[in-house]
Amino acid sequence: MTKDNIPSEKQSSKTEAEFVQSMNHSFEKLEQSFSFTTPDVNFFEQKIAQQKKQIRKKWRQDLLLFSTIAIIILSLMFTAFFQQPYVFVVLQVATVISLVGYTGYEFRKGKERVRHE
């Protein structure tokens, strides 16, 4: 390269300064086109209040469902126990056997997963 083709330091700093100035101008335009505002605190407080209300409503529904199912199961068990004790005993034995079988199945399935990994 010859000395004539090499840009001088003055030209280089001048083009850098122009580049920086054009970048700053572009950033200012960008900031002006997009306005950033801080959201209102009341908006978030209302959202939180709504979420709490929905959570309380869901909890009440779940509690009502649980209570209803528990009452039905207990009434059926008491009816079976007092009307036909033999049926009650058979249900208790079947429940224990199924729980033991299910626990054993899950235990074996868990051991197989460990071996394969």
Side-chain angles (χ1 to χ4, degrees):
M1 284 194 142
T2 62
K3 233 181 183 181
D4 296 333
N5 291 342
I6 300 174
S8 67
E9 287 184 25
K10 287 183 183 180
Q11 287 178 338
S12 174
S13 63
K14 186 177 179 182
T15 55
E16 287 177 13
E18 289 174 358
F19 177 73
V20 169
Q21 186 179 9
S22 69
M23 287 295 292
N24 286 336
H25 183 67
S26 298
F27 285 139
E28 287 174 11
K29 278 185 175 180
L30 184 65
E31 286 177 1
Q32 288 173 359
S33 64
F34 295 105
S35 63
F36 296 102
T37 58
T38 306
D40 189 24
V41 175
N42 291 331
F43 171 75
F44 290 111
E45 289 175 350
Q46 289 174 353
K47 284 289 189 184
I48 291 170
Q50 280 180 335
Q51 289 294 326
K52 285 183 178 181
K53 191 174 184 180
Q54 287 177 350
I55 289 170
R56 269 189 246 117
K57 184 178 178 183
K58 178 72 172 150
W59 183 79
R60 286 182 185 144
Q61 288 176 346
D62 290 345
L63 184 63
L64 180 64
L65 180 65
F66 173 77
S67 299
T68 304
I69 291 172
I71 289 171
I72 291 171
I73 290 172
L74 288 175
S75 63
L76 289 174
M77 293 304 288
F78 282 126
T79 302
F81 181 70
F82 289 116
Q83 297 295 323
Q84 297 175 347
Y86 177 75
V87 174
F88 179 78
V89 171
V90 169
L91 283 174
Q92 293 296 316
V93 170
T95 302
V96 170
I97 290 172
S98 63
L99 282 174
V100 169
Y102 179 75
T103 305
Y105 171 75
E106 287 294 320
F107 184 71
R108 264 192 244 142
K109 194 165 82 172
K111 276 190 168 184
E112 288 177 8
R113 265 193 237 137
V114 171
R115 271 190 240 143
H116 293 294
E117 291 177 1

